[in-house]
Amino acid sequence: MLQQLASLVGPKYVSTDPDVLAGRSADWTGRYRGRATVLVRPGSSEEVAAVLRLCRDTATHVTIQGGRTSLVAGTVPEHDDVLLSTERLCQVGEVDKVERRVEAGAGAVLSAVQSAAAAAGLVFGVDLAARDTATVGGMASTNAGGLRTVRYGNMGSQVIGMDVALPDGSVLRRHSRVRADNTGYDLPSLFVGAEGTLGVITALDLRLHSAPTHRVTAVCGFDELGPLVDAGRLFRDLDGIAALELVDGRAAALADEHLGAPPPVDGRWLLLVELASDFDQTERLADALDRVPASTEPAVGIDNAAQQRLWRVRESLAEVVGVFGPPLKFDVSLPLPAIARFADEAAKLVQRYAPDAVEVLFGHIGEGNLHLNVLRCSAAQEQDLYAAMMDLIADCGGNVSSEHGVGSRKRRYLGMSRGEADVAAMRTVKAAFDPTGYLNAAVLFD
C-alpha cells in the first residue's frame, strides 16, 4: 500500500512518521484525537483521484484534511485511516477582473484568495478569524460563513464552479463561463456542505465582489441581550450592512486582561456594526444609532486606523478563548427571539455541569449564528454538558450546526435538526457516490 501511494504522488509526499501522524490526528482544539496509518499529500486532482481509487480497491478508510481548523472533529480519523491532505493544491489563479472571479486550489488558504482579490481591487465575500490557516476547499465543504455573511452570504454563495475527485476515482469538472447556466443538476451545490462525504473538492471557481470605497464602523454596549438582538434586527435591514457581530463583554474583559486590548465601550454585551458602500454611510449609521437603546455612548470609527481598533475587540476572541486551554465549542443557529433565552439557560447548564467553567458567547447576530465557548471545562464534564446543551438548542428551535458542520462530534445529534426522511435521503445520496462508505466515514452520519 505504501509503495503504491508513493508511486502515485512521489515518495516525499507519503509519511508514516509517528510524530507527524499524531499531530495530524488531533483537531484544532486538541480535545479530540484519532489514529491514522499514513499521510499522503497529492499534488493534482488526478493524483487525488488515483489515491481514492487505490483506497477504495483496498477497502482503506480515507479522512480528508485541509487547514484542519474544524471545530467539530471533522478531520479526526477513526479507522487507522489514510490522511489525504489538500495542502499542495494551493495555487491561486489570475483574477478575472471583468467577470469578478478567480480559480483556486482547494488547499489555498483564505488569506491568499483575499490578497489576490484585493490586488485586483475586489473582495472575497467570506472572512474568518482563521484566514491564515483555513483552506477554501474545507470552507466549501462545511459551507463556512464568518464575519461578512450578513452582506455576502455563506461560502456556497461564492462558489460558481469546482473540480471534485469522486470516490470511484474519477474527476468531476463543473465550470461554466456564462452567468446563467440551468443545465441539469446543480452539482457544485451538492458538494458544498457535504463535509467531504461525497468527494474531495480539489479546485474552486470563486465569485468576487466590488470593493466598497467607504466604510464606517461602530461598537455599542448593552446591559441586556434582548435590546441588543432588537438592535441587530434594525441594523441587519440597513442598506450597506457589511458586518454585524455580537461580543460577550466577559470576552472583551479577558482580551483586555490577557492581550492588553481594552474594549472600546462598556457593556455586558457589545454589538459591532459596519456599513460599507460607494458613498459615505456615516449619517445613515448615526441615524440608526440614535434609535438604539445602548447603555453607553457608542464608539465610532470613520478612518481605517479607528476601524481596526474597533475590530480588535472581535478579532481577539479566537486568541482569548484559548488562554485557559482547549475550549469546548458549540456552533449553533438560533431564531433571533430565542437568543436571550438560550444565553440565560446555557449559563445555567454550564453552572450545573461545569461549575468552574466560564461561558463566552459571540457570533454573527444578523443570522442568529452564534459560537458558545466553554472555558475550563474538563473532559469528564464535557459529555453530560454537551448532551444537555444539544437538548437546549433543539428546545429553542435552533440548529445544532450553523457553519462549522456536523463533523464527527455532532453526528449523533443530526436527527435533532433533520427529519427521518431527510436523513434517509442524505444516506441515499452518500451510498450512490460512495457505496462502500470509505470516504470520511467518521463524519456526518452516526
Side-chain angles (χ1 to χ4, degrees), residues 47-405:
E47 288 186 1
V48 173
V51 170
L52 293 185
R53 191 179 307 114
L54 172 62
C55 292
R56 180 203 61 181
D57 293 345
T58 56
T60 304
H61 286 92
V62 173
T63 291
I64 309 161
Q65 296 188 335
R68 298 187 298 118
T69 56
S70 169
L71 300 175
V72 288
T75 61
V76 177
E78 290 189 359
H79 307 92
D80 290 321
D81 299 20
V82 168
L83 299 179
L84 192 157
S85 171
T86 62
E87 64 192 81
R88 292 179 60 210
L89 309 176
C90 57
Q91 301 82 6
V92 178
E94 184 176 351
V95 172
D96 185 335
K97 297 181 182 180
V98 176
E99 294 297 326
R100 296 177 183 170
R101 61 196 292 169
V102 65
E103 184 169 347
V109 295
L110 171 58
S111 59
V113 174
Q114 291 174 324
S115 295
L122 302 170
V123 295
F124 183 57
V126 177
D127 190 22
L128 310 171
R131 60 185 67 87
D132 292 326
T133 308
T135 63
V136 291
M139 291 166 57
S141 293
T142 58
N143 197 19
L147 302 171
R148 303 293 180 183
T149 309
V150 69
R151 183 181 183 96
Y152 298 110
N154 279 37
M155 188 68 181
S157 300
Q158 323 307 321
V159 176
I160 52 180
M162 63 172 59
D163 293 347
V164 185
L166 299 177
D168 67 359
S170 62
V171 178
L172 168 71
R173 304 184 193 277
R174 174 60 70 89
H175 301 270
S176 178
R177 303 306 300 176
V178 299
R179 289 178 175 245
D181 186 351
N182 191 26
T183 310
Y185 300 134
D186 184 6
L187 289 179
S189 294
L190 185 62
F191 295 98
V192 172
E195 301 188 47
T197 58
L198 304 179
V200 182
I201 297 174
T202 57
L204 295 145
D205 274 345
L206 298 171
R207 177 177 285 112
L208 303 177
H209 306 270
S210 59
T213 56
H214 294 78
R215 290 185 183 274
V216 60
T217 312
V219 175
C220 311
F222 295 81
D223 293 329
E224 302 291 338
L225 190 51
L228 183 148
V229 174
D230 292 339
R233 287 194 182 95
L234 170 65
F235 288 122
R236 180 190 60 185
D237 296 331
L238 290 179
D239 289 339
I241 187 68
L244 194 57
E245 294 292 303
L246 165 70
V247 177
D248 195 323
R250 286 171 297 193
L254 289 173
D256 186 16
E257 178 182 352
H258 295 279
L259 305 178
V265 297
D266 294 327
R268 173 63 185 84
W269 303 96
L270 306 182
L271 179 66
L272 183 149
V273 57
E274 184 168 275
L275 301 184
S277 183
D278 290 334
F279 58 89
D280 190 357
Q281 295 271 14
T282 304
E283 288 190 12
R284 172 175 287 171
L285 180 59
D287 290 341
L289 289 171
D290 285 341
R291 291 181 280 162
V292 168
S295 58
T296 59
E297 187 73 17
V300 179
I302 298 175
D303 60 83
N304 185 60
Q307 290 165 4
Q308 287 182 346
R309 285 194 296 272
L310 296 184
W311 268 102
R312 177 64 172 154
V313 71
R314 178 61 177 86
E315 293 280 2
S316 65
L317 295 179
E319 187 175 352
V320 165
V321 297
V323 168
F324 300 99
L328 176 60
K329 290 180 169 286
F330 297 93
D331 160 55
V332 304
S333 182
L334 295 163
L336 295 189
I339 288 176
R341 175 198 163 197
F342 171 78
D344 181 60
E345 296 191 19
K348 294 177 182 176
L349 289 179
V350 172
Q351 181 62 32
R352 181 188 309 169
Y353 293 104
D356 296 327
V358 176
E359 75 278 0
V360 172
L361 184 67
F362 59 87
H364 322 304
I365 194 68
E367 303 80 53
N369 176 355
L370 303 180
H371 308 303
L372 176 64
N373 293 258
V374 183
L375 316 181
R376 295 199 308 241
C377 179
S378 70
Q381 297 168 324
E382 176 179 337
Q383 184 173 354
D384 290 340
L385 176 59
Y386 209 97
M389 200 68 72
M390 291 295 106
D391 288 339
L392 173 60
I393 293 165
D395 192 54
C396 288
N399 193 323
V400 298
S401 173
S402 55
E403 62 172 338
H404 293 166

